[in-house]
Amino acid sequence: MTLEDAVFLGLRNNRTIRSAYIDRVSQKFGLRVAEDRFNPQLGISGNVSRQRIAGFETNTIEVSPGASLLTKTGATLDFAWNTTANWQDAANGFSSAAQIGIEQPLLRGAGVEVNLAPVQSARLGELVNKLRLKATVSETIAIIILAHRALLTAQQHLQLAQASLDRSENLLSINNALIAAGRMAPMEAVQTQADIESQRLTVLQTRQTLEADRLALLDLLALDLGTKIVAVEAIDPQKANTNVAKLLPIALSERQDYLGQVYVIEQNRLGITVAKNEQLWDISLYANARFGNRYSEGAGSDRVADVVAGLKFTIPINDLNRQQQLVDASTDYRNAELQLETIRSGIEMQIRGTASQVDLLWQQLTVAEKSRDLSLQAVTIEKAKLNAGRSTTFQVRSLESNLRDSENQLLNARIGYMNALTQLDLQLGTTLVTWHIDLKD
């Protein structure tokens, strides 16, 4: 399984990513509800009843289809068509009338900015939710990459341990040949045999680590835990550009947490606008009208034409709850700005720290390559000297141990450098760009 295969399967199967997309269904519907604020709301109400009072029985049916509309200026329009039919022992009655009402706030609740604030806040919230989805996917991809490399590292450690075991067994063969030729005492081969058993134990322990890393990767990919997989990736990293002056602007333009906090600040600004409006007097113009017909058995029918218009007001004198709303909104806004500064400082600290780590790991990688090459040359030369009778088994074993250490250090340095680049990519917020992933939402 290549690294690309692991990332692809993670995008399709990982449970965290799938859960994030499930949450998006509810989030998008919430935006739809907010944007429905200025659309007409339709409904039908009714009542069917039968009652008996003082020996008189009455049957009543009421049906009232209606609609209400909120405009961007804050005005509310209500319309209903009320139809009522009565059946009584003494007389029957019927009425049908249209009822229209309108109310326009003049201060509190008035104005396009105030009434659009909930919709704009919901749209900003939707942008934040999209950024959170990107952050979740980016973080999960980074976790999958690190898990894939952990399995790859375990595989490489197993190969190195097996190669070291093979070299020790070859050394034991040389020792046995020298003992048979009378050029070495039998006791000198005992330590070589002990080293072989120790390295066999290392091989077994490495296989155990490999199995644990395999299960961890399969769990992240939501695959059958019995699947036999082998991690494949070229371990040949290239030196990366770690100029902080160039990296920091990229992070500030791509980091999901930073951009999301910018939107949160805008939401809080809208909250202050609404809270300030809540401090105003509640003064509204209103008008109600009712037109229709009314019929009563015995009294005949007549027309209904009622109109009412006026001005109503509510003036708070010492309502601290409204003032509390403004205080809370202002506090949230100031805290959001401070949080943005904290996030920016944290981003810069992360970028500088990881960039410095990448540079140091590259230097370690260069030193580890030289150390491995020199250790390999030293073992080759010492074995040739042993065959010529000019060295000892102890010296070869010592150099073999150095070679094992240098090979493991080189592997760890390479994987550590590649993991640091993955971490830097995540901190820059460019993981999806690096992997050419365009989220479908």
Side-chain angles (χ1 to χ4, degrees), residues 217-339:
L217 178 59
L218 288 173
D219 184 60
L220 283 173
L221 302 181
L223 297 177
D224 182 1
L225 297 182
T227 305
K228 300 300 181 182
I229 59 173
V230 176
V232 178
E233 183 183 7
I235 310 179
D236 187 21
Q238 302 298 318
K239 193 175 190 306
N241 183 5
T242 55
N243 188 335
V244 176
K246 293 181 178 180
L247 295 179
L248 189 56
I250 295 175
L252 295 180
S253 63
E254 298 290 341
R255 277 282 291 259
Q256 292 83 15
D257 53 350
Y258 185 83
L259 298 177
Q261 189 62 25
V262 172
Y263 294 140
V264 169
I265 290 176
E266 184 62 20
Q267 283 181 312
N268 290 328
R269 188 193 67 78
L270 292 173
I272 291 178
T273 300
V274 174
K276 286 182 177 179
N277 183 263
E278 286 292 318
Q279 311 305 306
L280 303 177
W281 292 357
D282 187 1
I283 302 176
S284 303
L285 292 173
Y286 72 94
N288 294 309
R290 186 169 179 263
F291 303 98
N293 293 289
R294 182 170 51 203
Y295 169 80
S296 179
E297 186 176 347
S301 63
D302 59 341
R303 296 185 59 81
V304 177
D306 302 329
V307 178
V308 179
L311 175 72
K312 63 179 182 180
F313 59 88
T314 301
I315 301 176
I317 302 300
N318 58 345
D319 189 354
L320 295 180
N321 289 327
R322 294 188 181 185
Q323 297 180 25
Q324 183 67 47
Q325 294 178 22
L326 181 58
V327 172
D328 291 344
S330 300
T331 301
D332 291 342
Y333 180 78
R334 293 166 60 188
N335 281 333
E337 288 187 320
L338 287 175
Q339 182 64 22

Side-chain angles (χ1 to χ4, degrees), residues 333-405:
Y333 180 78
R334 293 166 60 188
N335 281 333
E337 288 187 320
L338 287 175
Q339 182 64 22
L340 182 66
E341 294 179 11
T342 301
I343 292 174
R344 189 192 186 285
S345 177
I347 290 174
E348 183 175 357
M349 184 180 300
Q350 287 180 345
I351 298 302
R352 290 185 180 277
T354 305
S356 176
Q357 181 186 19
V358 168
D359 289 338
L360 290 174
L361 286 173
W362 180 258
Q363 296 177 27
Q364 293 178 19
L365 174 59
T366 303
V367 173
E369 287 179 343
K370 293 180 180 178
S371 176
R372 190 278 313 271
D373 293 341
L374 292 174
S375 295
L376 182 59
Q377 292 179 20
V379 169
T380 302
I381 294 172
E382 203 64 28
K383 282 186 175 180
K385 292 170 63 178
L386 178 63
N387 289 330
R390 298 173 56 191
S391 181
T392 64
T393 302
F394 173 80
Q395 186 65 22
V396 174
R397 286 201 313 272
S398 177
L399 294 177
E400 279 281 358
S401 177
N402 293 337
L403 177 59
R404 285 196 302 270
D405 292 341

Side-chain angles (χ1 to χ4, degrees), residues 131-152:
L131 289 172
R132 287 174 179 168
L133 175 64
K134 289 184 177 180
T136 298
V137 174
S138 298
E139 291 169 2
T140 305
I141 289 174
I143 292 173
I144 291 173
I145 292 173
L146 296 179
H148 184 274
R149 292 208 181 114
L151 177 58
L152 180 65

